[in-house]
Amino acid sequence: NLYNLGLFCEVNGNIYFANPDDDGTLYKMTSDCTNITKVYEDKIRYINSDGNYIYYARVNNLKADGGSMFTFYNTGLYRINIKGGARLKTLCTDATAALLLVGNSVFFQGLDPSVGLTFRLASTDGKSTNTITTESIYPASYSDGAIFYSGVAEDRNIWSYNVTTGDKLLIYEGWTYMPIATADWIYFIDVEDYHIYKTNYGGPKKEVIDKAVCTYNITPDGRYLFYQADRTDSNYIGVLDLVNGTEYKILDGNFKYI
């Protein structure tokens, strides 16, 4: 759910999450939503995991108490060992936004005070970090060796970034937002009407949700698309079965961070 602040991540039978009842600090529970325990005191976002470590953006500056004066860095990119041993590793101390773990690399948005958010790469061992581009690419969707994103600096087209070669490839031209790549399709919000569409990696767009939405998410198996219907007389969270086309309402109201 990296488009939605990455507030939870399920791995090895546990769900790691930012607990809203404890100012967004790091907790875990078993996948049946029992055995809730606190993992670490940081207020966190954009949780990723490889099964051994949790990678996250520290946002202690947003804590209700303003962060501890005894914490040297209140923001940054961090790794915590979930199996014991040395607990915390600093990967970058600059303010960090969205991040995405791919193999032994973490792609992330880091704040450069002179230009704003930049797109960066850090090794998972913390030994190296570098800026890829000053374009504030949002790394939320990864498939088959590439990160898919909507342009920021010059256009809003869908692009892919090859994580091995660094090559950038134009996938789809349009005014797009929040692309999510699956095996066969790339889903996205078209900013002209805020409906959800899909493209077969460059082919013409096909409408998927025929109403305005403000956010959405797709299950890892690509089966279900959840969305927040917007601009209606009665907004709601809905779900669409992408296999059989069944669509229904889950809950009335206005929500975010699906």
Side-chain angles (χ1 to χ4, degrees), residues 4 29 56 77 94 103 120 124 127 147 161 165 203 210 248 253:
N4 300 284
M29 61 183 172
Y56 64 89
L77 173 61
D94 292 340
R120 304 185 190 182
T124 54
K127 293 182 178 180
I147 295 171
Y161 173 82
T165 65
D210 63 352
Y248 56 92

Side-chain angles (χ1 to χ4, degrees), residues 178-251:
M178 294 179 69
I180 296 178
T182 65
D184 300 314
W185 300 94
I186 300 177
Y187 295 82
F188 63 94
I189 295 175
D190 191 316
V191 180
E192 291 185 357
D193 56 14
Y194 284 88
H195 294 189
I196 297 178
Y197 293 84
K198 65 181 181 181
T199 174
N200 186 13
Y201 284 81
K205 67 180 182 181
K206 298 182 179 181
E207 191 172 59
V208 178
I209 299 295
D210 63 352
K211 56 185 68 67
V213 305
C214 61
T215 189
Y216 76 109
N217 211 334
I218 297 175
T219 54
D221 62 4
R223 178 69 185 268
Y224 298 100
L225 186 155
F226 294 84
Y227 62 91
Q228 170 66 48
D230 201 12
R231 300 181 182 177
T232 71
D233 293 332
S234 55
N235 295 340
Y236 63 92
I237 292 179
V239 60
L240 170 66
D241 186 322
L242 295 170
V243 174
N244 62 32
T246 302
E247 185 177 357
Y248 56 92
K249 182 187 299 185
I250 296 178
L251 187 65

